Amino acid sequence: MADRSILGAADVDDATFREIVARSLGEDPATVTVLGVEASVVPYSLDAITTAGRYWVTARAATAQGERSARMFVKHVQNWRRSPLFQYVPYEMREMAARTVPWRSEPLLYRSDLRHRLPPGLCMPEALHVEFLDEASAAIWLPAFDVVEHDWETADFAQAAFLLGRLAGSPAVAGLASLGDADGRHTMRTYTEGRLAVQVAPALRSGELWQAPWLAEAFDADLRSRLLAMLDRVPSFVDEVEATPEAVAHGDACPNNLLHVTGSDDIVLIDYGFWSLQHVGFDLGQLLVGDVQMGRRPASTLPELEAACVPAYVAGLAAEGVSVDTATVARAHALHLLVFTGLSTPLTGPPPPDADPDVLAHEAHERAAISRFCLDLVTST
């Protein structure tokens, strides 16, 4: 059988591979003969600390229906202790860091019946094969599908918010909310006691962060003062959020993980690494700012998206029989967004040596606009 060595530990034996190909094609494995295979790395520019690799695998096979091809996506997930980035975690924080970044959630969810529990309008790929490779990693084989690339409009965000509200309130989904908790839960409290306390807060209080002129100009003295004032209030914000109702959260509900695909009107959910039980409104954060952080839309659109998404999320909860008033959701969402995003937005890595100063300045002003939006949202709720 053709070489699949590029998959490394995520590869399977030939008999299992034939079964995966047959399942992808909807054929009886006994009638399938794999004729050839191509495997390649999926280009991906974002760091993902629990992802060891992503691959495309295309197989040609002889079947009872004639020669056919099957294309699959393979994801190799791992405990983030194995990530090269783990070395930058302070030694005294490593146990907490590893415990609060789950990695088992995704393979466990693909092994579960979640796809049959999702509310109307949402779907997920049916896994072809899920295998735990050892005590700290797993491989997930999924069918490939054709993603419809399009620029999201406000109505798209509102639709997604409504469906995320349904997901949050669904009693059918609730039974799987804690599926990945064996690794520990990633909550606002664990985040504030971890990354916020160790990395974000010291950086905001240090003059070193603002030495880059474009960053200091974008985050002016007034904005820095406001960030520091809100930083001092974080403990009370955590208590406030923990008094709100809990709900199922996808955990990283940015448009990158909410796909429109050919042949379906449903939104396809992918990337379940931070699936968990959170407090209401949690998923609205990445829905709003994900594309802004990626530079795909300007920060100036955030108020319009906010106005559309919060009531849509509340309506989604109501569609599942969960009654939470809009003010409660808006406040919890605002606090989540500030703590997880607004306070850390000034932190950046060193720019490349050939970076264009005008580009750096534009990016800094967009980051500053995100922080201002988060601060204003907390103030207005």
Side-chain angles (χ1 to χ4, degrees), residues 88-343:
Y88 299 109
V89 179
Y91 185 80
E92 65 275 11
M93 298 298 298
R94 289 184 178 183
E95 195 59 40
M96 173 186 284
R99 191 172 62 249
T100 56
V101 179
W103 68 271
R104 291 183 180 86
S105 303
E106 193 157 30
L108 289 174
L109 282 164
Y110 276 114
R111 276 188 170 182
S112 77
D113 64 345
L114 175 61
R115 60 188 297 268
H116 300 297
R117 301 182 184 216
L118 290 172
L122 291 175
C123 66
M124 65 184 289
E126 181 177 8
L128 302 171
H129 182 73
V130 179
E131 181 176 346
F132 281 87
L133 307 173
D134 55 32
E135 74 286 350
S137 65
I140 305 165
W141 291 67
L142 301 172
F145 40 80
D146 295 323
V147 176
V148 178
E149 301 289 352
H150 76 293
D151 294 330
W152 281 41
E153 304 291 340
T154 300
D156 295 308
F157 284 92
Q159 177 199 23
F162 173 75
L163 293 173
L164 289 169
R166 293 204 67 170
L167 180 76
S170 168
V173 172
L176 299 177
S178 303
L179 203 57
D181 280 3
D183 298 317
R185 285 183 63 194
H186 179 68
T187 65
M188 183 184 285
R189 186 169 295 277
T190 62
Y191 176 79
T192 58
E193 293 172 351
R195 183 183 179 226
L196 190 76
V198 173
Q199 182 187 27
V200 178
L204 290 178
R205 293 188 172 114
S206 168
E208 294 181 14
L209 178 63
W210 314 110
Q211 289 182 356
W214 54 83
L215 196 63
E217 192 273 330
F219 287 84
D220 58 28
D222 176 67
L223 180 53
R224 286 183 241 168
S225 176
R226 292 180 67 193
L227 286 169
L228 290 173
M230 286 294 188
L231 184 61
D232 291 337
R233 297 175 60 189
V234 165
S236 67
F237 292 157
V238 175
D239 291 340
E240 190 176 345
V241 165
E242 289 183 343
T244 64
E246 290 186 316
V248 178
H250 173 274
D252 189 11
C254 60
N256 257 12
N257 296 331
L258 306 173
L259 305 181
H260 293 85
V261 303
T262 301
S264 175
D265 293 328
D266 291 348
I267 289 179
V268 180
L269 293 177
I270 62 168
D271 281 5
Y272 295 88
F274 286 98
W275 173 273
S276 54
L277 189 66
Q278 297 289 345
H279 293 270
V280 289
F282 182 89
D283 274 339
L284 289 172
Q286 276 304 102
L287 178 64
L288 261 68
V289 302
D291 271 5
V292 178
Q293 291 172 321
M294 296 282 289
R296 292 174 178 168
R297 62 188 303 113
S300 60
T301 63
L302 288 171
E304 178 183 342
L305 298 184
E306 171 77 13
C309 288
V310 171
Y313 181 92
V314 173
L317 288 171
E320 295 293 330
V322 177
S323 178
V324 183
D325 63 90
T326 302
T328 297
V329 172
R331 179 64 175 174
H333 155 57
L335 297 178
H336 279 125
L337 192 58
L338 174 72
V339 171
F340 281 101
T341 301
L343 294 174

